[in-house]
PDB file of all heavy atoms in Angstrom:
ATOM      1  N   ALA A 332     153.242  75.246  81.861  1.00 90.00           N
ATOM      2  CA  ALA A 332     152.745  75.165  83.232  1.00 90.00           C
ATOM      3  C   ALA A 332     151.263  74.816  83.224  1.00 90.00           C
ATOM      4  O   ALA A 332     150.474  75.454  82.532  1.00 90.00           O
ATOM      5  CB  ALA A 332     152.966  76.492  83.954  1.00 90.00           C
ATOM      6  N   VAL A 333     150.890  73.789  83.978  1.00 89.00           N
ATOM      7  CA  VAL A 333     149.483  73.397  84.116  1.00 89.00           C
ATOM      8  C   VAL A 333     149.084  73.682  85.556  1.00 89.00           C
ATOM      9  O   VAL A 333     149.438  72.943  86.478  1.00 89.00           O
ATOM     10  CB  VAL A 333     149.287  71.907  83.780  1.00 89.00           C
ATOM     11  CG1 VAL A 333     147.818  71.527  83.951  1.00 89.00           C
ATOM     12  CG2 VAL A 333     149.752  71.617  82.357  1.00 89.00           C
ATOM     13  N   LEU A 334     148.387  74.791  85.748  1.00 86.00           N
ATOM     14  CA  LEU A 334     148.027  75.252  87.083  1.00 86.00           C
ATOM     15  C   LEU A 334     146.573  74.923  87.393  1.00 86.00           C
ATOM     16  O   LEU A 334     145.746  74.791  86.481  1.00 86.00           O
ATOM     17  CB  LEU A 334     148.241  76.763  87.190  1.00 86.00           C
ATOM     18  CG  LEU A 334     149.668  77.259  86.901  1.00 86.00           C
ATOM     19  CD1 LEU A 334     149.704  78.777  86.913  1.00 86.00           C
ATOM     20  CD2 LEU A 334     150.651  76.688  87.911  1.00 86.00           C
ATOM     21  N   PRO A 335     146.218  74.782  88.672  1.00 82.00           N
ATOM     22  CA  PRO A 335     144.824  74.519  89.044  1.00 82.00           C
ATOM     23  C   PRO A 335     143.907  75.637  88.575  1.00 82.00           C
ATOM     24  O   PRO A 335     144.306  76.809  88.501  1.00 82.00           O
ATOM     25  CB  PRO A 335     144.873  74.451  90.577  1.00 82.00           C
ATOM     26  CG  PRO A 335     146.298  74.162  90.908  1.00 82.00           C
ATOM     27  CD  PRO A 335     147.112  74.819  89.845  1.00 82.00           C
ATOM     28  N   GLU A 336     142.698  75.280  88.254  1.00 81.00           N
ATOM     29  CA  GLU A 336     141.721  76.282  87.800  1.00 81.00           C
ATOM     30  C   GLU A 336     141.482  77.304  88.896  1.00 81.00           C
ATOM     31  O   GLU A 336     141.312  76.968  90.072  1.00 81.00           O
ATOM     32  CB  GLU A 336     140.407  75.598  87.422  1.00 81.00           C
ATOM     33  CG  GLU A 336     139.416  76.529  86.763  1.00 81.00           C
ATOM     34  CD  GLU A 336     138.231  75.804  86.152  1.00 81.00           C
ATOM     35  OE1 GLU A 336     138.228  74.564  86.189  1.00 81.00           O
ATOM     36  OE2 GLU A 336     137.330  76.491  85.651  1.00 81.00           O
ATOM     37  N   GLY A 337     141.484  78.574  88.516  1.00 79.00           N
ATOM     38  CA  GLY A 337     141.264  79.646  89.472  1.00 79.00           C
ATOM     39  C   GLY A 337     142.539  80.212  90.069  1.00 79.00           C
ATOM     40  O   GLY A 337     142.484  81.230  90.768  1.00 79.00           O
ATOM     41  N   SER A 338     143.687  79.587  89.812  1.00 83.00           N
ATOM     42  CA  SER A 338     144.943  80.080  90.372  1.00 83.00           C
ATOM     43  C   SER A 338     145.498  81.234  89.540  1.00 83.00           C
ATOM     44  O   SER A 338     145.065  81.481  88.417  1.00 83.00           O
ATOM     45  CB  SER A 338     145.973  78.945  90.455  1.00 83.00           C
ATOM     46  OG  SER A 338     146.229  78.403  89.170  1.00 83.00           O
ATOM     47  N   THR A 339     146.474  81.936  90.113  1.00 86.00           N
ATOM     48  CA  THR A 339     147.073  83.088  89.438  1.00 86.00           C
ATOM     49  C   THR A 339     148.153  82.639  88.464  1.00 86.00           C
ATOM     50  O   THR A 339     149.008  81.824  88.826  1.00 86.00           O
ATOM     51  CB  THR A 339     147.696  84.042  90.474  1.00 86.00           C
ATOM     52  OG1 THR A 339     146.691  84.465  91.392  1.00 86.00           O
ATOM     53  CG2 THR A 339     148.289  85.264  89.793  1.00 86.00           C
ATOM     54  N   PRO A 340     148.162  83.131  87.232  1.00 90.00           N
ATOM     55  CA  PRO A 340     149.210  82.747  86.282  1.00 90.00           C
ATOM     56  C   PRO A 340     150.592  83.175  86.769  1.00 90.00           C
ATOM     57  O   PRO A 340     150.723  84.120  87.558  1.00 90.00           O
ATOM     58  CB  PRO A 340     148.815  83.502  85.007  1.00 90.00           C
ATOM     59  CG  PRO A 340     147.393  83.879  85.184  1.00 90.00           C
ATOM     60  CD  PRO A 340     147.178  84.051  86.650  1.00 90.00           C
ATOM     61  N   LYS A 341     151.611  82.471  86.285  1.00 91.00           N
ATOM     62  CA  LYS A 341     152.992  82.799  86.647  1.00 91.00           C
ATOM     63  C   LYS A 341     153.765  83.135  85.368  1.00 91.00           C
ATOM     64  O   LYS A 341     153.770  82.347  84.422  1.00 91.00           O
ATOM     65  CB  LYS A 341     153.650  81.628  87.375  1.00 91.00           C
ATOM     66  CG  LYS A 341     152.973  81.302  88.711  1.00 91.00           C
ATOM     67  CD  LYS A 341     153.647  80.132  89.408  1.00 91.00           C
ATOM     68  CE  LYS A 341     152.957  79.818  90.736  1.00 91.00           C
ATOM     69  NZ  LYS A 341     153.597  78.656  91.419  1.00 91.00           N
ATOM     70  N   TRP A 342     154.425  84.318  85.374  1.00 93.00           N
ATOM     71  CA  TRP A 342     155.108  84.797  84.186  1.00 93.00           C
ATOM     72  C   TRP A 342     156.586  85.010  84.447  1.00 93.00           C
ATOM     73  O   TRP A 342     157.027  85.012  85.597  1.00 93.00           O
ATOM     74  CB  TRP A 342     154.465  86.095  83.692  1.00 93.00           C
ATOM     75  CG  TRP A 342     152.990  85.985  83.472  1.00 93.00           C
ATOM     76  CD1 TRP A 342     152.002  86.639  84.145  1.00 93.00           C
ATOM     77  CD2 TRP A 342     152.312  85.155  82.516  1.00 93.00           C
ATOM     78  NE1 TRP A 342     150.762  86.280  83.683  1.00 93.00           N
ATOM     79  CE2 TRP A 342     150.926  85.360  82.669  1.00 93.00           C
ATOM     80  CE3 TRP A 342     152.757  84.257  81.553  1.00 93.00           C
ATOM     81  CZ2 TRP A 342     149.976  84.722  81.898  1.00 93.00           C
ATOM     82  CZ3 TRP A 342     151.812  83.604  80.771  1.00 93.00           C
ATOM     83  CH2 TRP A 342     150.441  83.836  80.945  1.00 93.00           C
ATOM     84  N   SER A 343     157.344  85.197  83.378  1.00 92.00           N
ATOM     85  CA  SER A 343     158.794  85.370  83.462  1.00 92.00           C
ATOM     86  C   SER A 343     159.216  86.656  82.766  1.00 92.00           C
ATOM     87  O   SER A 343     158.663  87.024  81.723  1.00 92.00           O
ATOM     88  CB  SER A 343     159.503  84.178  82.804  1.00 92.00           C
ATOM     89  OG  SER A 343     160.883  84.436  82.619  1.00 92.00           O
ATOM     90  N   ARG A 344     160.215  87.344  83.328  1.00 92.00           N
ATOM     91  CA  ARG A 344     160.732  88.560  82.705  1.00 92.00           C
ATOM     92  C   ARG A 344     161.601  88.247  81.498  1.00 92.00           C
ATOM     93  O   ARG A 344     161.673  89.045  80.565  1.00 92.00           O
ATOM     94  CB  ARG A 344     161.551  89.362  83.721  1.00 92.00           C
ATOM     95  CG  ARG A 344     160.708  90.163  84.695  1.00 92.00           C
ATOM     96  CD  ARG A 344     161.567  91.101  85.524  1.00 92.00           C
ATOM     97  NE  ARG A 344     160.733  91.943  86.369  1.00 92.00           N
ATOM     98  CZ  ARG A 344     160.219  93.103  85.998  1.00 92.00           C
ATOM     99  NH1 ARG A 344     160.462  93.566  84.780  1.00 92.00           N
ATOM    100  NH2 ARG A 344     159.467  93.818  86.820  1.00 92.00           N
ATOM    101  N   LYS A 345     162.269  87.113  81.518  1.00 94.00           N
ATOM    102  CA  LYS A 345     163.241  86.795  80.480  1.00 94.00           C
ATOM    103  C   LYS A 345     162.685  85.907  79.375  1.00 94.00           C
ATOM    104  O   LYS A 345     163.379  85.620  78.412  1.00 94.00           O
ATOM    105  CB  LYS A 345     164.466  86.131  81.116  1.00 94.00           C
ATOM    106  CG  LYS A 345     165.295  87.082  81.960  1.00 94.00           C
ATOM    107  CD  LYS A 345     165.802  88.263  81.122  1.00 94.00           C
ATOM    108  CE  LYS A 345     166.640  89.237  81.919  1.00 94.00           C
ATOM    109  NZ  LYS A 345     167.076  90.397  81.094  1.00 94.00           N
ATOM    110  N   THR A 346     161.465  85.438  79.524  1.00 96.00           N
ATOM    111  CA  THR A 346     160.871  84.558  78.519  1.00 96.00           C
ATOM    112  C   THR A 346     159.454  85.002  78.207  1.00 96.00           C
ATOM    113  O   THR A 346     158.654  85.234  79.119  1.00 96.00           O
ATOM    114  CB  THR A 346     160.849  83.101  79.018  1.00 96.00           C
ATOM    115  OG1 THR A 346     162.182  82.686  79.326  1.00 96.00           O
ATOM    116  CG2 THR A 346     160.271  82.177  77.964  1.00 96.00           C
ATOM    117  N   VAL A 347     159.156  85.134  76.939  1.00 96.00           N
ATOM    118  CA  VAL A 347     157.776  85.404  76.518  1.00 96.00           C
ATOM    119  C   VAL A 347     157.035  84.071  76.511  1.00 96.00           C
ATOM    120  O   VAL A 347     157.284  83.208  75.667  1.00 96.00           O
ATOM    121  CB  VAL A 347     157.733  86.039  75.117  1.00 96.00           C
ATOM    122  CG1 VAL A 347     156.273  86.262  74.692  1.00 96.00           C
ATOM    123  CG2 VAL A 347     158.498  87.344  75.090  1.00 96.00           C
ATOM    124  N   LEU A 348     156.155  83.888  77.472  1.00 95.00           N
ATOM    125  CA  LEU A 348     155.374  82.658  77.573  1.00 95.00           C
ATOM    126  C   LEU A 348     154.027  82.870  76.875  1.00 95.00           C
ATOM    127  O   LEU A 348     153.329  83.851  77.159  1.00 95.00           O
ATOM    128  CB  LEU A 348     155.156  82.282  79.038  1.00 95.00           C
ATOM    129  CG  LEU A 348     156.428  81.955  79.845  1.00 95.00           C
ATOM    130  CD1 LEU A 348     156.083  81.755  81.312  1.00 95.00           C
ATOM    131  CD2 LEU A 348     157.112  80.713  79.283  1.00 95.00           C
ATOM    132  N   PHE A 349     153.674  81.963  76.000  1.00 95.00           N
ATOM    133  CA  PHE A 349     152.412  82.115  75.265  1.00 95.00           C
ATOM    134  C   PHE A 349     151.678  80.780  75.238  1.00 95.00           C
ATOM    135  O   PHE A 349     152.242  79.717  75.498  1.00 95.00           O
ATOM    136  CB  PHE A 349     152.676  82.593  73.834  1.00 95.00           C
ATOM    137  CG  PHE A 349     153.294  81.547  72.949  1.00 95.00           C
ATOM    138  CD1 PHE A 349     152.517  80.726  72.155  1.00 95.00           C
ATOM    139  CD2 PHE A 349     154.674  81.369  72.933  1.00 95.00           C
ATOM    140  CE1 PHE A 349     153.085  79.742  71.358  1.00 95.00           C
ATOM    141  CE2 PHE A 349     155.257  80.396  72.137  1.00 95.00           C
ATOM    142  CZ  PHE A 349     154.461  79.589  71.349  1.00 95.00           C
ATOM    143  N   ASP A 350     150.410  80.861  74.917  1.00 93.00           N
ATOM    144  CA  ASP A 350     149.547  79.687  74.826  1.00 93.00           C
ATOM    145  C   ASP A 350     148.821  79.746  73.487  1.00 93.00           C
ATOM    146  O   ASP A 350     148.236  80.786  73.141  1.00 93.00           O
ATOM    147  CB  ASP A 350     148.544  79.685  75.980  1.00 93.00           C
ATOM    148  CG  ASP A 350     147.789  78.377  76.111  1.00 93.00           C
ATOM    149  OD1 ASP A 350     147.530  77.734  75.064  1.00 93.00           O
ATOM    150  OD2 ASP A 350     147.445  77.990  77.240  1.00 93.00           O
ATOM    151  N   PHE A 351     148.846  78.662  72.741  1.00 93.00           N
ATOM    152  CA  PHE A 351     148.184  78.652  71.436  1.00 93.00           C
ATOM    153  C   PHE A 351     146.676  78.834  71.553  1.00 93.00           C
ATOM    154  O   PHE A 351     146.013  79.171  70.570  1.00 93.00           O
ATOM    155  CB  PHE A 351     148.490  77.353  70.694  1.00 93.00           C
ATOM    156  CG  PHE A 351     149.851  77.334  70.050  1.00 93.00           C
ATOM    157  CD1 PHE A 351     150.844  76.502  70.532  1.00 93.00           C
ATOM    158  CD2 PHE A 351     150.132  78.146  68.969  1.00 93.00           C
ATOM    159  CE1 PHE A 351     152.101  76.474  69.935  1.00 93.00           C
ATOM    160  CE2 PHE A 351     151.381  78.140  68.371  1.00 93.00           C
ATOM    161  CZ  PHE A 351     152.377  77.304  68.856  1.00 93.00           C
ATOM    162  N   ASP A 352     146.120  78.601  72.744  1.00 91.00           N
ATOM    163  CA  ASP A 352     144.680  78.794  72.941  1.00 91.00           C
ATOM    164  C   ASP A 352     144.333  80.218  73.367  1.00 91.00           C
ATOM    165  O   ASP A 352     143.161  80.546  73.494  1.00 91.00           O
ATOM    166  CB  ASP A 352     144.151  77.810  73.990  1.00 91.00           C
ATOM    167  CG  ASP A 352     144.037  76.400  73.442  1.00 91.00           C
ATOM    168  OD1 ASP A 352     143.809  76.257  72.231  1.00 91.00           O
ATOM    169  OD2 ASP A 352     144.190  75.441  74.221  1.00 91.00           O
ATOM    170  N   ASP A 353     145.357  81.035  73.628  1.00 89.00           N
ATOM    171  CA  ASP A 353     145.110  82.435  73.952  1.00 89.00           C
ATOM    172  C   ASP A 353     144.434  83.114  72.758  1.00 89.00           C
ATOM    173  O   ASP A 353     144.828  82.911  71.611  1.00 89.00           O
ATOM    174  CB  ASP A 353     146.433  83.126  74.283  1.00 89.00           C
ATOM    175  CG  ASP A 353     146.225  84.558  74.722  1.00 89.00           C
ATOM    176  OD1 ASP A 353     146.211  85.429  73.842  1.00 89.00           O
ATOM    177  OD2 ASP A 353     146.069  84.790  75.931  1.00 89.00           O
ATOM    178  N   ASP A 354     143.445  83.931  73.027  1.00 86.00           N
ATOM    179  CA  ASP A 354     142.656  84.535  71.946  1.00 86.00           C
ATOM    180  C   ASP A 354     143.510  85.315  70.955  1.00 86.00           C
ATOM    181  O   ASP A 354     143.325  85.206  69.737  1.00 86.00           O
ATOM    182  CB  ASP A 354     141.573  85.453  72.530  1.00 86.00           C
ATOM    183  CG  ASP A 354     140.473  84.679  73.233  1.00 86.00           C
ATOM    184  OD1 ASP A 354     140.349  83.467  72.956  1.00 86.00           O
ATOM    185  OD2 ASP A 354     139.746  85.270  74.048  1.00 86.00           O
ATOM    186  N   ILE A 355     144.453  86.124  71.453  1.00 90.00           N
ATOM    187  CA  ILE A 355     145.224  86.961  70.533  1.00 90.00           C
ATOM    188  C   ILE A 355     146.234  86.131  69.740  1.00 90.00           C
ATOM    189  O   ILE A 355     146.553  86.449  68.600  1.00 90.00           O
ATOM    190  CB  ILE A 355     145.925  88.125  71.255  1.00 90.00           C
ATOM    191  CG1 ILE A 355     146.995  87.613  72.230  1.00 90.00           C
ATOM    192  CG2 ILE A 355     144.923  88.998  71.966  1.00 90.00           C
ATOM    193  CD1 ILE A 355     147.845  88.731  72.808  1.00 90.00           C
ATOM    194  N   ILE A 356     146.743  85.040  70.324  1.00 92.00           N
ATOM    195  CA  ILE A 356     147.673  84.163  69.605  1.00 92.00           C
ATOM    196  C   ILE A 356     146.922  83.344  68.569  1.00 92.00           C
ATOM    197  O   ILE A 356     147.352  83.191  67.418  1.00 92.00           O
ATOM    198  CB  ILE A 356     148.424  83.243  70.577  1.00 92.00           C
ATOM    199  CG1 ILE A 356     149.290  84.056  71.547  1.00 92.00           C
ATOM    200  CG2 ILE A 356     149.275  82.227  69.824  1.00 92.00           C
ATOM    201  CD1 ILE A 356     150.448  84.767  70.898  1.00 92.00           C
ATOM    202  N   ALA A 357     145.771  82.808  68.958  1.00 90.00           N
ATOM    203  CA  ALA A 357     145.004  81.949  68.056  1.00 90.00           C
ATOM    204  C   ALA A 357     144.518  82.707  66.823  1.00 90.00           C
ATOM    205  O   ALA A 357     144.364  82.115  65.750  1.00 90.00           O
ATOM    206  CB  ALA A 357     143.817  81.340  68.803  1.00 90.00           C
ATOM    207  N   ALA A 358     144.275  84.012  66.974  1.00 88.00           N
ATOM    208  CA  ALA A 358     143.716  84.797  65.861  1.00 88.00           C
ATOM    209  C   ALA A 358     144.786  85.432  64.985  1.00 88.00           C
ATOM    210  O   ALA A 358     144.464  86.086  63.994  1.00 88.00           O
ATOM    211  CB  ALA A 358     142.804  85.890  66.413  1.00 88.00           C
TER     212      ALA A 358
END
Side-chain angles (χ1 to χ4, degrees):
V333 179
L334 302 175
E336 188 169 356
S338 60
T339 302
K341 297 180 180 179
W342 306 115
S343 168
R344 281 189 175 272
K345 290 301 180 182
T346 302
V347 178
L348 297 174
F349 71 93
D350 191 327
F351 281 111
D352 285 330
D353 184 271
D354 290 341
I355 65 172
I356 297 293

